[in-house]
Amino acid sequence: QVQLVESGGGLVQAGGSLRLSCAVSGRIRLINVMGWYRQAPGKQRELVARITSGGDTNYADSVTGRFTISTDNAKNMVFLQMSSLKPEDTAVYYCNVRWGSLDVNSWGQGTQVTVSS
């Protein structure tokens, strides 16, 4: 089985920073894409940032310039450095990987990020 375990969420004041981490374990030979999504109360889950195995990245417009996604491929980990946080960044953040020849989607359990004004 594939497991994704997020860490690093918490409560921070507006303007502050947090770093999310996600460790991927299990029988994965090829990770195609690693990413972060978020879901705020009453809203749909949305893409925050993702990075391909080739290193290409893309970000939601709302976080461009404030968030940075990175990976440690040797450890199958993905990180999200979040800076200049705003109250509207408050959400549950989910780690996501697409892996294997069938591009299987796997999700973490989510970590809460709360930004106070």
Side-chain angles (χ1 to χ4, degrees):
Q1 282 193 349
V2 174
Q3 286 190 322
L4 286 71
V5 179
E6 300 107 332
S7 60
L11 174 64
V12 64
Q13 288 189 332
S17 299
L18 281 175
R19 186 180 191 233
L20 305 183
S21 301
C22 175
V24 182
S25 61
R27 292 189 173 186
I28 295 182
R29 293 187 178 181
L30 174 65
I31 292 179
N32 303 318
V33 183
M34 304 181 84
W36 290 94
Y37 289 71
R38 67 186 181 188
Q39 187 166 18
K43 294 188 177 181
Q44 288 190 332
R45 190 174 298 189
E46 63 175 359
L47 173 69
V48 177
R50 61 187 171 197
I51 183 167
T52 70
S53 58
D56 295 328
T57 58
N58 60 304
Y59 296 88
D61 289 344
S62 59
V63 308
T64 297
R66 300 188 298 121
F67 292 9
T68 303
I69 190 169
S70 61
T71 60
D72 182 335
N73 292 325
K75 296 181 179 179
N76 277 357
M77 294 189 71
V78 60
F79 308 96
L80 186 69
Q81 178 66 47
M82 305 185 293
S83 303
S84 302
L85 283 161
K86 304 175 181 180
E88 50 264 43
D89 294 318
T90 295
V92 178
Y93 284 70
Y94 296 91
C95 178
N96 170 265
V97 293
R98 284 167 33 200
W99 57 275
S101 58
L102 298 180
D103 212 29
V104 177
N105 237 339
S106 293
W107 294 91
Q109 81 286 353
T111 185
Q112 177 70 47
V113 171
T114 303
V115 184
S116 63
S117 57

